[in-house]
Amino acid sequence: MWTKRKTLPITTVAVSDSSRSCGYPKTLMNGRGKANGTVEHESFGQFLFNKDKGTCLGRTAKSWVQILGFYAVFYSLLAAFWIGCLAIFLRTLDDKVPRYYGKGTIIGLNPGVGYQPWLLDDPDSTLIRFNVKDKSSYAKYVNTLDEYLLKYKNITATRICTGSQSNADLVKDGSAKAVGSDGSEDHLAESCRFELRPFEMAGCGAADDYGFREGKPCVVLSLNRLIGWKPIDYAKDSVPEAIRERYKPNFVTLYCDGTSDPDKEHLGHVSYIPEAGIDGKYYPYAVMPNYHQPIAMVRFDNPPRNKLVLVECRAYAQNIEHDITAKLGLVNFELLVEDIDSGTTVESR
C-alpha cells in the first residue's frame, strides 16, 4: 500500500546582524570599529601624540615606563653575563706564553729566516740596490741598519753569558723565570747580552757604513722568534756538506749562494760573521724585559758590478727544515751593486 506523505511549507527566517554576531557588536580587531561597522581613522599626527587618549607613538606613559624598564633590566643582565664570561676567559690566558705553541699549531716548530736592511717604505721589494759612487743611494740602507741595531746598545736587564750559561737556564715551559738566592721567582729575568763588536771588527759596523761604502755590503740574518725553540746538533756524520767546514755544535750555521747556476757563478766570495753562525746560548726565546735577538751577518766581498744576482740564504740545524714554497728555514733577496757615474742607468740583466 502506498502512503502519501504530507509536504510542509518552507519558511524563510530573517536573521538580524546582531544575531549573526552572537549578540556582540561588529568591531575590528584593533578595537577602533564602531557598532554600526564604521572604522575610526587616526592621522599620523594623532599617532605621534594623541591628547584625548594620552598616548605617544601609540603607548601611554605607563606602557612606555614598563617596556623601557624591561629592556633596561634585560640588557643590563645580558651585558653582565657577557662581561663575566670574558673575565673568566681572560683569566685563563698568559700574556707572555701562548696557550698552544709548537708542533701541530699555527706557530709551528720550524723557524723562518729574516734579513736586514729591509725598507719599510717599500715592504714588497726584496732588492738591495745601490751605487758605490753615490753615497745617497745606500744611505737608506745604512740608516735602516742603524735603527735595527740600536736596540743592542741598551744593556739594561741583560747579562754576559760565558761558558755553559744560556737563556735556557731561565726558560721553563716557554716562560722566563729568574730564581734568586732565597729561592723565589720574583727576580727580573735577564737575557744573554748580544755584542756587536765582532761585526765592527770585520768591517760590518756603522763606522764602515756596513760595507756599502766599499761595495761589500753586509746583510743581517736572523731567525724568527719561536717560544721554546732551540737548535739541535747534527750527528758528526750527518752535517751538510755546504757548512761542514764551519759547523760547530750548539750553533745555527748560515749559508748563502745564488738561486741558479748563473747566480752562483757571479755571486763571488761570501764571508760569515761569526763563521759558525748564531750561538745557541741565546735560545730558547721567551718574553723578557730586554731580550736580545741573536743575529749573524754575511758580507759579499766581491759581488759583480752592474749585474743583478739572486741570493738565497739558509739556516742549518738538525731541527730546521727547508721549504722553498713556505719560506721555511731560508730567505731570498736580490743584490745589485752599481759602479757608475750619477745619472747613468744600468740594465739589471
Side-chain angles (χ1 to χ4, degrees):
M1 295 180 63
W2 295 91
T3 303
K4 187 176 181 181
R5 292 184 178 181
K6 186 176 181 180
T7 303
L8 298 176
I10 299 174
T11 305
T12 303
V13 180
V15 181
S16 64
D17 291 341
S18 59
S19 299
R20 292 176 182 173
S21 59
C22 300
Y24 295 98
K26 183 187 294 183
T27 59
L28 298 179
M29 294 184 67
N30 60 6
R32 294 175 183 172
K34 294 184 178 180
N36 59 4
T38 61
V39 179
E40 178 184 358
H41 295 284
E42 186 178 59
S43 65
F44 181 71
Q46 290 177 321
F47 169 73
L48 293 178
F49 179 71
N50 193 319
K51 183 177 180 181
D52 297 333
K53 296 182 179 180
T55 60
C56 178
L57 299 178
R59 290 184 178 275
T60 62
K62 180 181 179 181
S63 177
W64 276 115
V65 171
Q66 290 175 337
I67 193 171
L68 291 177
F70 168 78
Y71 280 111
V73 173
F74 174 75
Y75 284 114
S76 296
L77 294 176
L78 187 63
F81 175 76
W82 182 82
I83 293 174
C85 291
L86 182 62
I88 295 174
F89 173 73
L90 292 177
R91 288 182 65 87
T92 65
L93 300 180
D94 192 324
D95 58 348
K96 296 181 180 179
V97 183
R99 176 179 292 275
Y100 302 108
Y101 63 92
K103 186 177 181 179
T105 66
I106 193 172
I107 298 176
L109 281 175
N110 203 75
V113 181
Y115 80 95
Q116 292 289 342
W118 177 68
L119 302 179
L120 293 177
D121 296 338
D122 191 9
D124 295 329
S125 175
T126 56
L127 174 63
I128 301 176
R129 177 180 181 179
F130 67 98
N131 185 359
V132 293
K133 294 183 178 180
D134 183 7
K135 185 175 182 179
S136 62
S137 67
Y138 58 81
K140 55 186 177 182
Y141 299 114
V142 173
N143 294 335
T144 299
L145 289 173
D146 283 339
E147 294 178 4
Y148 179 78
L149 299 175
L150 183 62
K151 58 188 176 184
Y152 296 100
K153 295 183 179 180
N154 179 14
I155 60 175
T156 305
T158 61
R159 60 194 173 100
I160 299 176
C161 294
T162 58
S164 61
Q165 294 178 332
S166 69
N167 281 346
D169 301 334
L170 307 177
V171 179
K172 183 179 180 181
D173 297 329
S175 180
K177 297 180 180 179
V179 180
S181 57
D182 56 354
S184 64
E185 297 182 350
D186 297 331
H187 296 268
L188 187 66
E190 297 180 342
S191 65
C192 290
R193 185 181 306 169
F194 191 85
E195 299 287 351
L196 299 179
R197 184 165 179 77
F199 306 124
E200 297 170 352
M201 295 177 62
C204 287
D208 300 298
D209 288 337
Y210 305 102
F212 284 86
R213 183 196 310 160
E214 302 296 331
K216 301 178 180 181
C218 300
V219 176
V220 174
L221 297 178
S222 62
L223 300 184
N224 294 349
R225 298 179 180 183
L226 290 182
I227 291 180
W229 185 91
K230 59 182 180 180
I232 297 177
D233 296 338
Y234 285 107
K236 291 183 179 180
D237 57 349
S238 63
V239 179
E241 184 178 355
I243 62 169
R244 189 168 297 166
E245 296 181 358
R246 298 183 292 110
Y247 177 75
K248 288 183 179 180
N250 199 36
F251 272 78
V252 178
T253 307
L254 301 164
Y255 179 75
C256 296
D257 204 352
T259 58
S260 64
D261 290 338
D263 294 315
K264 294 177 181 180
E265 180 182 352
H266 293 103
L267 182 60
H269 184 264
V270 180
S271 297
Y272 301 91
I273 312 162
E275 284 194 357
I278 302 174
D279 197 332
K281 68 181 179 182
Y282 299 100
Y283 298 101
Y285 163 71
V287 177
M288 300 184 190
N290 187 21
Y291 175 76
H292 278 189
Q293 183 178 8
I295 61 174
M297 282 193 179
V298 291
R299 186 183 67 225
F300 299 93
D301 295 323
N302 54 341
R305 296 298 192 260
N306 308 320
K307 185 181 293 292
L308 180 68
V309 180
L310 278 63
V311 182
E312 180 181 273
C313 294
R314 298 192 175 201
Y316 285 88
Q318 180 64 46
N319 54 339
I320 296 180
E321 298 180 1
H322 300 119
D323 189 329
I324 298 177
T325 303
K327 298 297 182 183
L328 295 177
L330 56 88
V331 67
N332 295 92
F333 56 89
E334 301 82 38
L335 181 63
L336 176 57
V337 181
E338 299 175 343
D339 188 1
I340 56 176
D341 296 328
S342 300
T344 306
T345 59
V346 175
E347 295 183 1
S348 59
R349 280 283 192 184

